[in-house]
Each structure stands twice: as structure tokens, then as C-alpha cells.
Amino acid sequence: MMSDENGLSHRFEINGHDFSNAGRISTNIKAILQEIGIHSSIVVRTAIASYEAEMNVVMYAHRAVLTLNITPEKLHLKLEDEGPGIENIDLAMKEGFSTATDEMREMGFGAGMGLPNIKKNADKFEISSIPGKGTSIDITICLDKTEKK
Amino acid sequence: MKLKEIIEKLQLKVLMDQDKLDMEVTGGYTSDMLSDAIANSKEGNLWITLQTHQNIIAVAKLKDLSGIIIVNNREPDEDTLQKAKEENVPLLGSEETAYEVSGKLYELISS
């Protein structure tokens, strides 16, 4: 799939509350993956996970840095945001739970599916948060089928 | 079935014309929640929704949907039209409800 063994790395900045650019980074990531010939099922999973990660920043955080790393074995997305953080991660991971405002819900956000969608599409998912400081998310998707869960 | 046949049979308005009207439609997905649409729609689906804001375009683009049908005669925002044009996502409109459009599309595609 990839001839380069050193892997590929991209860094993106996401601004909180910037609904007009929301989705741009995940669309960008999708294009990168398609260009290097990543299998379409992996592209779809990554697109969903990165979209939800991006929207969480747009809706709740001040800003974030998203790093994409691709090696022949795996694809890794790391998101670190500055924002209010998450008080109760177990609750935030529960499908249907959301702290979205009424305005966001009217726009069709706040289904309480964001973090669960990320987890579902990842082979490995880690989240940590410091309330008042920010949230960090690690998403790994295996490219080598034998490593797939 | 091709998108242009569906436009004709469901009497949809083409809100943003695209060069993709020859695209094959694989089915539909009806939802007003963006996370639900991105998680559960399939490539080539037509997305039936009442949402009119610009963020619907990214969902359609990310899932390679064949287009978006905005129901109940709702008008898309100006920046939604602009984004649809930039991202080459067919944006369609219907006077009917999501229920009616979904039912008719289901009939058309499964027949």
C-alpha cells in the first residue's frame, strides 16, 4: 500500500465555534487517505471518527491540534484540545448523553453519538480529560488486517 | 437508479445543480441528526433531512452520498448553497414531508 516505511504525518489546527469551517479538516484527511490508496472501508471509518472529533472541538472547545500519523501498519489520530474538558467521561461515552445547547440540537447536533461513534470506528480508543483545561483523544485504526479487532 | 431519474419521478427541485446527476443512487437515509447520518448512511445514499445549514454538506461529502433532499419546502441557507457548489454535492428540495419522500424513494429503489 505504501512504499515509504517512515510513515506520513500531518498537523491540523481546529478553532472552537467555527461552524463555517467545520468538517474541513476531516474532509482534508479523507482526501489524503484516498490519495495514498488507503482501503475505502478504512477511509470511511477514519472520516467518521475525525468528523466527530472535529465537531466536538467546534462545539465545545476553544481550539485544538489534530495530528494524523500513518505508518504501513496503522493510522493514528491524536487530538488535544484546550477547553472546558469533560467532568464525567463514563457519562460522555454513553450513547444519547449530550451537553449540547438547544441551538446546537436544532442544528441536528447533540445526538450523544459523537464519542461512541469515534470508539466504534477505532481499533483502539483512549480519552483523558482535565476539567477546566482540555481533553485529549487517541484513535488508532489498524491498516494491517491481521491486527484488526 | 440514477439521480436524475429520481429527481424527475419525485419532482424534486434542483437547488444546486451539479455535474453528478448521472450518479447511481444506492438507497436513502432519513435523519435530522448529523451524527446519525454520518454513522449510518451508506455510500451513494440520498440523505433526506429538514436541516438547511452548511454543516450538512460536509456529512454528504465525507460519506460520498449521492445528494441531499431538503424536505417540507425549506430553503437552504446561502452558505449551504455555496458549500454544495464548492464540494460538488447535489442539493435537492421537496415540498413533501420526510415521510412522503422516504416512502416514495423506497418504492422507487426497491421496485
Side-chain angles (χ1 to χ4, degrees), chain A residues 19-24 26-27 30 34 44 47-48 51-52 55 105-111 113-114 117, chain B residues 32-40 43 50-51 53-56 58-64 79 83 86-87:
Chain A
F19 280 91
S20 66
N21 285 304
R24 188 160 285 183
S26 28
T27 307
K30 184 186 170 198
Q34 283 177 323
V44 169
I48 297 171
Y51 175 79
E52 294 290 7
M55 287 317 302
R105 286 173 204 261
E106 273 174 31
M107 289 171 75
F109 298 111
M113 291 174 73
N117 268 355
Chain B
D32 298 324
M33 299 303 283
L34 277 71
S35 283
D36 175 36
I38 198 162
N40 298 313
E43 185 180 346
L50 53 70
Q51 297 294 350
H53 60 85
Q54 58 179 347
N55 297 110
I56 59 176
V59 171
K61 179 83 179 167
L62 283 164
K63 289 303 292 277
D64 292 317
D79 45 17
K83 276 233 159 79
E86 282 167 22
E87 302 290 351

Side-chain angles (χ1 to χ4, degrees), chain A residues 37-52:
Chain A
I38 299 283
H39 191 274
S40 62
S41 65
I42 303 274
V43 174
V44 169
R45 287 167 61 202
T46 311
I48 297 171
S50 58
Y51 175 79
E52 294 290 7

